[in-house]
Amino acid sequence: MTKKTKNKYNHYTEDFRREAVRRSDLPGASAVEVARELGIHPGQIYNWRRQYKRLSDKQFNTVNGVDYSQDESEEIRKLKRQISDLKEENEFLKKATAYFSKEKW
């Protein structure tokens, strides 16, 4: 586990964060104990755990081999937009078909 330091703020690698969360989730271990061992604040582990569960764009991009990165999210948003457009077009065509199928008086 590697810890990077830059200026007066600490920046941790993704592997370091993953390992800290994994170790705090082990039976018989607590976030406070793991934080003390690693020399970080216990609240940091709780934050990383929350981020891990939410799978934010900048951290923890892959879980169990599944890629949750920005590229995947962008493609999903694009496909959802396309589905929405097609549904709207389908509704329009239904209304147009009903209008033109009416008998003229």
Side-chain angles (χ1 to χ4, degrees):
M1 294 190 315
T2 310
K3 178 171 89 170
K4 293 183 182 178
T5 304
K6 185 177 180 181
N7 297 336
K8 64 181 181 177
Y9 301 105
N10 290 326
H11 298 277
Y12 303 98
T13 63
E14 186 170 339
D15 291 334
F16 181 86
R17 294 179 298 212
R18 278 182 187 276
E19 183 64 19
V21 170
R22 186 192 67 76
R23 287 174 57 183
S24 70
D25 287 339
L26 291 175
S30 70
V32 175
E33 293 171 355
V34 173
R36 193 175 297 130
E37 291 173 14
L38 298 175
I40 59 177
H41 191 274
Q44 192 66 62
I45 292 179
Y46 294 119
N47 288 337
W48 291 337
R49 185 181 295 147
R50 182 174 33 91
Q51 290 170 351
Y52 183 69
K53 288 180 181 176
R54 279 192 309 174
L55 297 171
S56 69
D57 292 337
K58 295 181 181 175
Q59 296 175 338
F60 307 116
N61 290 331
T62 57
V63 174
N64 296 332
V66 178
D67 184 17
Y68 292 98
S69 64
Q70 182 67 27
D71 296 336
E72 287 286 320
S73 299
E74 188 175 320
E75 185 174 348
I76 290 171
R77 283 192 301 274
K78 178 184 170 189
L79 291 172
K80 285 184 178 183
R81 253 182 281 143
Q82 187 177 7
I83 289 171
S84 175
D85 292 344
L86 290 172
K87 283 182 179 179
E88 191 176 311
E89 187 176 321
N90 194 22
E91 288 299 315
F92 174 78
L93 291 173
K94 284 180 184 178
K95 290 177 184 177
T97 302
Y99 176 78
F100 288 115
S101 66
K102 289 182 183 177
E103 290 186 33
K104 304 281 185 197
W105 293 96

